[in-house]
Amino acid sequence: MDISHWVFVVSVLLLFLASGSFSIDNFHQPFPIVEPDPGHTKLRLSREGLEAISRINTPIAAVAVIGPYRSGKSFLLNQLLSLSCYEGFGVGHMRDTKTKGIWFWGIPLELDIDGVRTSVFYLDTEGFESVGKSNVYDDRIFALATVMSSVLIYNLPETVREADISRLSFAVELAEEFYGRVKGQDVAFEPAKLLWLIQRDFLEGKTVKEMVDEALRHVPNTGGDKNIDQVNQIRDSLAVMGDNSTAFSLPQPHLRRTKLCDLKDDDLDPMYVKKREQLKELVASIIRPKIVQGKSLNGKEFVSFLEKILEALNKGEIPSTGSLVEVFNKGIVERCLKLYNERMGKLRLPMPEQSLQDAHDRSREEAMKAFDELHFGRRHAKTSFKQLDEDIKEVNKNIIMANEYHSARLCEALYTQCEDNMDQLQVLRLPSMAKFNAGFLQCNRSFEQECIGPSKANYEQRMVKMMGKSRSLFIKEYNQRLFNWLVTFSLIMVMVGRFIIKFILIEMAAWVLFIFLETYTRMFWSSESLYYNPVWHFIVSTWETIVYNPILDLDRWAIPIGCTVALWMLYWRCYGRRKHKSRWLLPMYNSHKSGSNRPRSD
């Protein structure tokens, strides 16, 4: 009992694994590629049929047959494929529809079209106006067949009705949006060539071409009915298709229609057989590979194309040309946006606002020009155009924010650097108005040249306030610091002239300067009038010439020069005078206590 139980379990597992790894072995049969959902309102893909199509590596072309239900579409396809009803598409003799969704014959016909080996699929579609379906569902079937196929056979019994013409509104919109639009390297897919196929019991009277032309004439509208105007607009728009449509008549194959599947060609009406072969030749002559965006589609690409179209058709409540245009323009919008990003990405931020705006205008114009050359659709492309424009505006906002950020960082760094330089000039060891002015001008010049972008105006105002404050503070302290330096300098020169160099004239000049600064100026000049006195101006000019000039910056080199001079004077004081016995041109202090003539004591 246990063994049989385990055998059963293993068998179930093997069946499950086998079903999970299912692959199509027999392609000599019809496969569904699009099926209705349970509510018969939308369409969904059938993976079994897509697998059969994906195996094709050659270019693909499709011939779809559409029309009312119970109009003989499946039988017609079997005739075109030279298949019987029992091995080809299922033919129903009841009042309900046999085909649900869209089916195709698994083995394509191989044709040589313009030197290219092409796999031609024949598609059978669910009939229009059957019971239990919404009009939206019929519209989706018609729209999908129109977009997928290269040849669309509109199978009509007896005559052309007004409803048949109204149903072509979607095909007309596709023709107006896509037909003949060739830009650059991209070629929009052409709507299928429309073949009016009218099957009737008699061939006398008007030809099918005359019948179609008469049906497409304007309907009189003396009352101004909007519905009639819309129908007439469709008639006018059909002229856009031009050579993209043709008409063909096909007599009834036999009076006993319910027995057609059991009849051979010898049993059928000879005129029907003759016209059927002519129809085959006509279809083969007008069919072309399906080309999308300048490239013929193989099996995998055709499946991807089908997925895009179905997603667009199911997106809204009703299928619309606009939704299809958006699908095809989506990649082009992304490509043009990428082009804009690449152009703007080459900019070196920060940059002036006007320069950034000019770069944005040029890049946007280039992106829009590329979109105009590559986009699909004419009227409905405006939505994609607006979307691209909005995306560019959003990217531009981010670039403007980045430019403001980089500009603020750069100007802040320059402002901080200038502020530090001004602080350093405030504490010069040797106060120099010339050096302060030079640093002031250099800071202004570097800020003016290097600070760019939208933050420049704001930082310019801060710079003006900071520089003005630094200048006022320096001028305020300059005269007092210079006065103190001159007093200190006079005392130092007194010590140098008295004890080191021993030049009496240097000592006397230093004493005169010290007395002048500390006594005469305080006795006869006020602190305010001192700085406006010509003598003081002469002293300041002399000081500025010595401290800072294009050749020497004494504030930087004062300590090295002072040390060098001190060492030289010490050397001369200790060794130089004895060794060289040089004579000074100026009087020096002489010591009578020293020398070789001093008498020796006992």
Side-chain angles (χ1 to χ4, degrees):
M1 187 69 179
D2 293 337
I3 296 176
S4 61
H5 174 72
W6 282 109
V7 170
F8 174 76
V9 172
V10 171
S11 301
V12 171
L13 290 175
L14 290 175
L15 288 174
F16 176 77
L17 293 175
S19 62
S21 59
F22 171 77
S23 61
I24 300 175
D25 296 325
N26 180 21
F27 290 96
H28 194 76
Q29 59 178 317
F31 293 95
I33 54 176
V34 176
E35 297 175 325
D37 64 358
H40 250 87
T41 57
K42 293 187 178 182
L43 301 172
R44 59 189 181 187
L45 296 175
S46 173
R47 292 298 164 185
E48 183 181 3
L50 298 183
E51 180 185 347
I53 294 179
S54 298
R55 67 188 175 89
I56 305 299
N57 296 323
T58 56
I60 284 180
V63 178
V65 179
I66 62 173
Y69 84 108
R70 298 290 295 146
S71 60
K73 298 185 300 300
S74 299
F75 178 79
L76 174 64
L77 281 168
N78 290 332
Q79 291 290 298
L80 295 176
L81 290 168
S82 301
L83 298 173
S84 68
C85 299
Y86 302 104
E87 60 179 345
F89 291 99
V91 177
H93 300 300
M94 297 179 293
R95 294 302 296 175
D96 61 340
T97 58
K98 188 71 175 178
T99 303
K100 302 292 185 180
I102 299 178
W103 292 60
F104 81 102
W105 183 248
I107 299 179
L109 297 180
E110 300 293 336
L111 297 180
D112 188 356
I113 301 176
D114 297 333
V116 178
R117 185 182 179 186
T118 305
S119 298
V120 180
F121 285 104
Y122 281 82
L123 306 177
D124 190 11
T125 63
E126 186 171 349
F128 303 146
E129 302 170 355
S130 63
V131 180
K133 299 186 304 179
S134 65
N135 292 332
V136 174
Y137 176 79
D138 286 347
D139 291 338
R140 285 195 172 94
I141 290 288
F142 178 84
L144 191 58
T146 302
V147 176
M148 288 172 55
S149 60
S150 299
V151 175
L152 186 66
I153 301 178
Y154 201 171
N155 186 54
L156 299 173
E158 302 300 339
T159 187
V160 181
R161 301 174 301 167
E162 191 62 45
D164 302 326
I165 298 176
S166 298
R167 198 177 299 281
L168 288 174
S169 59
F170 185 83
V172 169
E173 286 187 14
L174 286 180
E176 291 178 340
E177 289 292 330
F178 293 105
Y179 182 64
R181 179 158 181 85
V182 180
K183 294 289 186 180
Q185 297 180 351
D186 285 358
V187 180
F189 72 89
E190 294 184 5
K193 291 187 177 297
L194 179 62
L195 175 58
W196 299 81
L197 179 62
I198 300 178
Q199 300 188 41
R200 51 182 180 166
D201 295 325
F202 55 91
L203 293 177
E204 293 80 6
K206 298 177 182 178
T207 65
V208 176
K209 178 64 174 173
E210 292 173 345
M211 184 184 301
V212 172
D213 292 341
E214 182 179 348
L216 295 180
R217 290 174 186 168
H218 270 228
V219 177
N221 187 18
T222 56
D225 190 338
K226 293 183 179 180
N227 294 327
I228 296 179
D229 284 340
Q230 185 176 3
V231 170
N232 287 332
Q233 288 177 4
I234 297 174
R235 285 169 161 78
D236 293 335
S237 300
L238 281 172
V240 176
M241 304 183 73
D243 296 334
N244 208 44
S245 63
T246 185
F248 192 85
S249 63
L250 193 65
Q252 293 297 335
H254 199 275
L255 294 178
R256 300 176 64 186
R257 297 182 182 180
T258 58
K259 300 295 183 179
L260 289 177
C261 290
D262 300 322
L263 300 178
K264 303 296 183 181
D265 281 358
D266 295 338
D267 301 324
L268 300 177
D269 188 333
M271 179 59 70
Y272 169 81
V273 175
K274 178 181 179 182
K275 297 287 287 186
R276 182 194 65 189
E277 297 303 316
Q278 292 177 358
L279 178 61
K280 289 182 180 180
E281 295 176 1
L282 175 61
V283 172
S285 65
I286 62 177
I287 196 169
R288 293 293 180 272
K290 194 66 182 178
I291 296 178
V292 178
Q293 293 180 281
K295 181 182 179 182
S296 57
L297 304 182
N298 59 22
K300 291 183 178 179
E301 293 165 343
F302 186 84
V303 170
S304 177
F305 171 73
L306 178 59
E307 290 173 346
K308 280 185 178 182
I309 297 301
L310 193 60
E311 178 184 358
L313 293 178
N314 285 333
K315 185 177 181 181
E317 294 182 357
I318 59 174
S320 65
T321 305
S323 60
L324 290 183
V325 171
E326 290 178 9
V327 168
F328 281 92
N329 284 339
K330 182 178 179 181
I332 296 176
V333 168
E334 293 175 355
R335 190 189 318 176
C336 295
L337 185 61
K338 181 180 179 182
L339 175 63
Y340 174 83
N341 282 324
E342 289 176 351
R343 295 293 182 270
M344 297 298 288
K346 295 178 181 179
L347 300 178
R348 297 185 60 182
L349 301 180
M351 60 189 307
E353 291 179 285
Q354 187 58 47
S355 299
L356 182 62
Q357 182 63 36
D358 294 341
H360 161 72
D361 293 339
R362 290 192 299 270
S363 301
R364 179 185 177 278
E365 182 180 358
E366 189 172 352
M368 291 302 183
K369 182 179 179 181
F371 178 82
D372 185 61
E373 292 177 350
L374 303 176
H375 79 271
F376 296 131
R378 298 177 182 176
R379 293 177 300 172
H380 294 284
K382 294 179 180 179
T383 302
S384 300
F385 182 88
K386 291 180 180 179
Q387 181 63 44
L388 176 60
D389 194 30
E390 291 296 327
D391 292 343
I392 288 177
K393 288 180 180 179
E394 192 65 28
V395 174
N396 187 44
K397 287 181 182 179
N398 296 333
I399 295 176
I400 290 176
M401 292 176 61
N403 190 48
E404 292 175 353
Y405 171 74
H406 288 289
S407 176
R409 284 191 59 186
L410 176 61
C411 294
E412 177 67 27
L414 292 171
Y415 174 83
T416 303
Q417 182 180 355
C418 284
E419 192 174 33
D420 294 340
N421 291 340
M422 291 297 101
D423 291 341
Q424 293 176 5
L425 291 174
Q426 294 290 343
V427 293
L428 291 175
R429 288 186 292 268
L430 300 178
S432 171
M433 182 62 72
K435 184 171 183 178
F436 181 86
N437 289 335
F440 186 91
L441 293 175
Q442 182 181 2
C443 195
N444 254 335
R445 189 182 303 111
S446 63
F447 181 85
E448 185 67 27
Q449 292 176 352
E450 298 178 25
C451 177
I452 55 178
S455 299
K456 183 174 183 178
N458 181 35
Y459 277 90
E460 274 183 340
Q461 296 177 0
R462 294 178 59 184
M463 277 288 294
V464 169
K465 293 181 180 179
M466 185 270 291
M467 300 286 279
K469 184 178 179 180
S470 297
R471 188 180 186 89
S472 299
L473 183 61
F474 183 84
I475 293 174
K476 180 179 179 181
E477 297 180 355
Y478 172 75
N479 290 310
Q480 187 61 40
R481 290 184 63 197
L482 179 57
F483 186 90
N484 295 335
W485 257 104
L486 290 175
V487 172
T488 304
F489 176 74
S490 63
L491 291 177
I492 292 174
M493 293 308 297
V494 167
M495 301 298 293
V496 171
R498 182 74 178 90
F499 299 104
I500 300 177
I501 301 179
K502 293 188 176 183
F503 279 1
I504 190 172
L505 294 181
I506 293 178
E507 182 183 358
M508 291 175 62
W511 277 115
V512 169
L513 178 61
F514 177 79
I515 294 171
F516 173 79
L517 293 173
E518 286 294 331
T519 305
Y520 187 82
T521 57
R522 297 181 186 275
M523 292 177 62
F524 300 100
W525 292 342
S526 64
S527 58
E528 291 82 7
S529 62
L530 169 65
Y531 304 136
Y532 297 98
N533 192 280
V535 178
W536 178 254
H537 287 173
F538 174 76
I539 294 173
V540 170
S541 300
T542 306
W543 170 267
E544 291 289 345
T545 304
I546 296 173
V547 172
Y548 185 80
N549 56 73
I551 300 176
L552 180 64
D553 181 5
L554 197 59
D555 182 73
R556 178 179 297 180
W557 299 101
I559 295 177
I561 292 175
C563 293
T564 302
V565 172
L567 291 174
W568 179 82
M569 286 191 298
L570 286 174
Y571 170 80
W572 181 262
R573 183 73 178 83
C574 298
Y575 303 104
R577 292 174 58 191
R578 297 178 181 178
K579 183 176 179 180
H580 300 286
K581 296 180 180 181
S582 59
R583 295 181 179 181
W584 294 90
L585 297 178
L586 298 177
M588 300 180 64
Y589 291 97
N590 292 321
S591 177
H592 298 288
K593 296 181 180 181
S594 62
S596 58
N597 294 327
R598 181 180 178 181
R600 298 170 61 117
S601 63
D602 295 334

